[in-house]
Amino acid sequence: MIKLTKRVSNIAPSMTLAMSAKSAEMKAAGEKVINFGVGEPDFNTPENIIQAAKDAMDKGYTKYVAAAGLPALKKAVCEKFKRDNNLDYKPSQIVISNGGKHAILNAVAAVVEEGDEVIIPSPYWLTYPEVVRFFGGVPKYVETSRENDFKMTAEQLEAAITPKTVMLIFNSPCNPTGAVYSEEEIKAIAAVCEKHELCVLSDEIYEKLVYDGLKHYSIAEVSPKMKELTILVNGVSKSYAMTGWRLGYLAAAEHVAKAIGSFQSHATSNVNTITQYAALAALEGDQQPMADMVKAFAARRVKMMDILDGYKQFGLDYVKPEGAFYVMLVCDKFYGKSLGDKKIEGSMDFAMELLAAQKVAATPGICFGDDSCIRLSYALSVEEMEEGLERIKAFCLSLK
């Protein structure tokens, strides 16, 4: 028998695997499952981006390129950072990766040693702690509160830092909560990071998906020192409905980007060349399809909140999201109740029984570090959303 390393053995299996398998089984049997667990836009990639990929293939752009990315694309990423974030980067500070997740793995690989602590505000995207553990790091969670809209304060960050702390993973807009930190909140957190020379992995993949007139503010914008301490991760997956194309990117201090580029040259080499030409078209082309998508998400968000406001009377609640396309639905008032002989003990039970009884798929909050909630995505049609929320209501009212 092959003996596995601790690196892979310590990675937790997905807690949503059983639910995903059950949902797929039900769909295969012809049952109508409404899926609130979706973590990607339900829009197709804009046509100009698809055409750019076709053109690249027709022109024979199907060979290897530089491991850290196509020069033209790296230049376009620099222009994007200047245009959207008022940040000046050189192409040598950019690494194009196989999705935002790969960029995060690269960043942690470059900074975290065995035994190092990495601060992660909770609720968190479930991949963060697994990547930290893979490289021998120790996730250190900072529990946020509903009362503060699931946002970590500078005081909480200060209290969590120890001599072993090397990194903060910061995510605004946030998956799963939809929290968007204000410029003032970010500046306060940055002051703590600067004081302790703390590296920040800033995941800004949902940057374009903010609502109510809010503006995304990057922690790298705070000061030249904070920019030097930040590894900024972004990509085209969410903003341009390109999840399956697999392209992310990061910007960092030159020595960090150089080291990550070297690492990637041995790990994966370059991202799919055709995808890089498609991403170039996304960044440089017509931005109206992206704006239309954000407008649609904004309308769905309002619709979901309007419906959920009416559900507060029987025990469901939520924290108002300001970005991304998720709502954390607080359902812990139903824990301890039963559906038949099945007792609901936490978010996993709630989600599994909701799927079995009402054919509604949602993501248990325990996956994100908060067992009091389930995560609902509004990356689905308004009609499906309305029907799905009615089914959730019926499920809750059936619990005794």
Side-chain angles (χ1 to χ4, degrees):
M1 178 186 291
I2 296 174
K3 182 181 177 182
L4 297 175
T5 65
K6 287 191 292 184
R7 283 191 302 276
V8 297
S9 299
N10 290 340
I11 295 176
S14 172
M15 287 185 283
T16 62
L17 198 60
M19 189 168 65
S20 297
K22 180 64 176 176
S23 175
E25 179 185 318
M26 293 167 71
K27 286 182 178 179
E31 299 186 68
K32 183 181 179 182
V33 177
I34 295 180
N35 189 3
F36 285 107
V38 180
E40 61 181 343
D42 56 317
F43 299 89
N44 195 23
T45 303
E47 184 55 41
N48 67 302
I49 299 172
I50 294 172
Q51 187 61 49
K54 294 177 181 177
D55 291 345
M57 288 187 282
D58 288 341
K59 292 174 182 177
Y61 297 158
T62 57
K63 309 298 184 184
Y64 292 133
V65 296
L70 193 69
L73 178 56
K74 292 170 72 173
K75 181 174 180 288
V77 169
C78 291
E79 291 168 352
K80 171 259 174 290
F81 280 128
K82 182 63 176 178
R83 179 177 66 245
D84 295 345
N85 311 106
N86 196 32
L87 290 168
D88 289 306
Y89 287 105
K90 296 180 291 185
S92 56
Q93 294 178 274
I94 307 299
V95 178
I96 309 299
S97 57
N98 294 280
K101 187 178 291 190
H102 184 206
I104 290 164
L105 184 143
N106 280 342
V108 175
V111 175
V112 177
E113 300 274 18
E114 189 80 27
D116 286 344
E117 291 180 352
V118 177
I119 294 173
I120 305 174
S122 177
Y124 48 79
W125 183 44
L126 54 86
T127 291
Y128 296 147
E130 300 308 326
V131 171
V132 170
R133 279 191 281 264
F134 180 80
F135 289 105
V138 180
K140 188 167 185 181
Y141 304 112
V142 172
E143 302 295 334
T144 63
S145 67
R146 300 177 205 163
E147 293 72 28
N148 197 41
D149 298 327
F150 288 126
K151 290 190 277 190
M152 178 187 68
T153 66
E155 293 75 19
Q156 285 180 301
L157 174 60
E158 179 74 56
I161 293 173
T162 76
K164 293 183 177 181
T165 307
V166 299
M167 176 182 277
L168 162 67
I169 297 182
F170 187 66
N171 180 210
S172 176
C174 177
N175 172 16
T177 66
V180 177
Y181 287 74
S182 69
E183 182 175 342
E184 293 71 28
E185 290 165 335
I186 288 174
K187 285 181 175 178
I189 288 169
V192 177
C193 296
E194 290 182 353
K195 172 185 171 184
H196 293 276
E197 296 279 334
L198 183 62
C199 171
V200 177
L201 194 173
S202 186
D203 181 356
E204 302 180 16
I205 196 75
Y206 290 95
E207 167 188 35
K208 299 293 186 182
L209 299 171
V210 292
Y211 312 108
D212 293 341
L214 297 178
K215 182 182 183 301
H216 170 73
Y217 184 78
S218 172
I219 196 167
E221 294 182 68
V222 170
S223 69
K225 181 175 181 179
M226 195 65 245
K227 181 187 171 195
E228 188 75 10
L229 289 170
T230 300
I231 301 175
L232 199 164
V233 170
N234 210 316
V236 296
S237 295
K238 314 298 182 181
S239 298
Y240 297 96
M242 293 178 68
T243 51
W245 297 76
R246 307 313 304 136
L247 188 139
Y249 50 83
L250 64 78
E254 194 143 7
H255 72 287
V256 176
K258 182 179 179 182
I260 288 173
S262 295
F263 172 59
Q264 181 167 297
S265 73
H266 296 291
T268 64
S269 194
N270 67 271
V271 176
N272 180 301
T273 302
I274 298 150
T275 288
Q276 293 196 57
Y277 280 100
L280 182 62
L283 293 175
E284 294 186 339
D286 182 10
Q287 302 298 298
Q288 191 57 48
M290 179 268 291
D292 292 342
M293 182 177 71
V294 174
K295 185 177 179 180
F297 280 135
R300 295 176 190 179
R301 166 181 167 270
V302 170
K303 171 63 71 173
M304 180 173 277
M305 291 192 299
D306 284 346
I307 294 172
L308 292 178
D309 283 339
Y311 290 1
K312 293 181 179 181
Q313 60 184 315
F314 60 83
L316 286 175
D317 202 356
Y318 69 96
V319 175
K320 181 180 178 181
E322 296 179 321
F325 39 69
Y326 309 107
V327 173
M328 287 291 267
L329 184 65
V330 183
C331 55
D332 57 351
K333 288 187 178 179
F334 294 91
Y335 299 173
K337 295 189 175 185
S338 299
L339 184 66
D341 60 356
K342 177 62 179 178
K343 192 173 184 179
I344 306 296
E345 301 285 6
S347 61
M348 182 62 76
D349 287 342
F350 189 97
M352 289 298 289
E353 294 308 310
L354 174 63
L355 178 61
Q358 290 291 338
K359 303 180 182 63
V360 171
T363 310
I366 194 171
C367 299
F368 312 111
D370 189 337
D371 199 29
S372 69
C373 304
I374 59 172
R375 189 193 73 176
L376 303 181
S377 168
Y378 44 92
L380 72 173
S381 71
V382 172
E383 293 74 24
E384 281 195 309
M385 178 201 301
E386 290 176 333
E387 182 178 348
L389 292 176
E390 277 296 315
R391 294 186 192 185
I392 291 173
K393 176 182 177 181
F395 173 74
C396 291
L397 294 177
S398 71
L399 295 174
K400 305 299 181 185

